Every structure is written in structure tokens, then in C-alpha cells.
Amino acid sequence: MRIYTRQGDKGMTRLADATRIAKNHQRVASYGDIDELNSHIGLFAAKIADSHPELLADLTLIQQELFDLGGELAFSSEAQSSAIWQVNEGWTARLESQIDHYSAQLPPLRQFILPGGSEAAAQAHVVRTLTRRCERQLLTLSEQEQINPAVIPYVNRLSDWFFTLARFVLRQEGRGEVCWVKAADR
């Protein structure tokens, strides 16, 4: 199988149901952002493989789920139905349970924190912000076309998961959080 087909050279692509649309269509942008997010999760997983191997199974599962989500989005609005939807409320519930598990090991959050503290925590925050961008894209798409109603809650919770994970990683590394200080107090 060749990697290039030349079919997209004029700015068009085919969705999974053979519908042709422009490469800058909101649907293509949405699954493209999910793909970018998935790549950054892979980078994060590679960065923590030696220092936090206990997190790799969760990260791999999330990458699998995001690939499933991208697959859902690769179908046109007309083809969207529960027959192709894989994302479900159970995925969101699992993330909530894991957030609760990690949060129970962290001090209460009493102020805003800045991304950073360690390379791994900073990368978790990059993933968190990319997740938020995906959420915004998906919200825009959902206002224009049909998508699985379970998608936006899942992606919203995923950004919370990565925020919590960034804090958890710092705690496991014995490092402190970088707290935001308002301008008047700096």
C-alpha cells in the first residue's frame, strides 16, 4: 500500500463513508486535532516511561480511545449514529474515578498553578491544553453537525484528568507546584 495517493492534492479528502469534503472542514479539523493530541500523549508517555511506568497502561488506553474517537469523527454528519459511536458515558466515568483516585493522594488545590515544575508535568499540561482545544473544536462542530453526545463530556473530563495527572506526577517526583501569584503581589 502506498502512503500517497495524490487524491488530496487539491485540498479535498474522503471521509470514512466516502463523502468528499474540504480538508479545512470543521469535521476534518476536529479529527486532526484529536490526532495531534494523541501524538502529544505518545510523547508524554515516552517521557515518563522510565520514571512513571505505572501510568503507561492508562495512557495507552486513552490513546486507543482517542483513535476510536477520531474514527467516529471521520464519518459525515449524515452517517453519524449510534451504530458507529464508540465513545460512551462509561469512558467518562472511568476518567472521573481515576481523577478521584489521583486527587486523593494530592493536597487540596487552594490556588491556581502554572504549567511546569518538571518536564513531565509540563508535558502533561501541554496535553491538557491541547485537549481543551479539541473540546472547543468539537463544540463548534457539534453546533453545525451531529456528533456523538458522549464525546464532549469525555474530552472535557480528559482535560481534567491531565491536569490532575500533572499534579500527581509532580508529587510523585517530590517536586512542588509552581503557584500563580497575582500581579499586585509579585
Side-chain angles (χ1 to χ4, degrees):
M1 181 172 107
R2 287 191 335 210
I3 297 298
Y4 62 91
T5 63
R6 298 187 179 122
Q7 291 183 14
D9 290 353
K10 294 185 178 165
M12 299 296 287
T13 192
R14 285 193 195 281
L15 295 177
D17 62 351
T19 301
R20 287 186 54 79
I21 63 172
K23 287 185 175 184
N24 63 351
H25 187 281
Q26 189 68 37
R27 183 166 294 281
V28 178
S30 294
Y31 69 70
D33 280 356
I34 293 293
D35 187 33
E36 180 181 357
L37 171 61
N38 210 342
S39 296
H40 278 277
I41 293 170
L43 178 61
F44 175 63
K47 284 184 184 286
I48 66 162
D50 294 332
S51 57
H52 301 282
E54 74 281 5
L55 301 175
L56 294 179
D58 290 337
L59 291 168
T60 300
L61 177 58
I62 288 169
Q63 285 190 287
Q64 296 283 349
E65 290 172 344
L66 288 174
F67 205 88
D68 293 337
L69 171 53
E72 282 187 23
L73 294 171
F75 283 87
S76 68
S77 182
E78 295 75 27
Q80 291 291 316
S81 73
S82 59
I84 64 162
W85 293 341
Q86 298 177 63
V87 179
N88 61 67
E89 293 80 12
W91 295 12
T92 303
R94 187 196 74 250
L95 292 176
E96 289 172 350
S97 176
Q98 291 173 341
I99 290 168
D100 293 344
H101 169 76
Y102 292 131
S103 293
Q105 301 172 57
L106 298 170
L109 190 59
R110 303 206 186 284
Q111 62 190 103
F112 292 109
I113 61 170
L114 300 176
S118 76
E119 186 176 1
Q123 183 64 35
H125 281 290
V126 168
V127 170
R128 172 188 60 80
T129 61
L130 289 172
T131 305
R132 286 289 186 212
R133 185 175 70 203
C134 289
E135 182 182 13
R136 291 188 299 272
Q137 282 277 19
L138 289 164
L139 184 58
T140 300
L141 177 62
S142 74
E143 291 169 348
Q144 300 168 2
E145 298 189 6
Q146 183 176 358
I147 66 169
N148 178 346
V151 165
I152 292 174
Y154 171 75
V155 175
N156 182 30
R157 210 67 75 250
L158 188 60
S159 65
D160 297 334
W161 191 89
F162 277 104
F163 176 81
T164 304
L165 195 65
R167 295 187 70 218
F168 178 78
V169 164
L170 273 178
R171 182 80 168 187
Q172 294 298 102
E173 292 174 348
R175 298 176 184 224
E177 295 172 329
V178 181
C179 296
W180 171 72
V181 178
K182 61 184 174 179
D185 295 338
R186 281 184 246 146

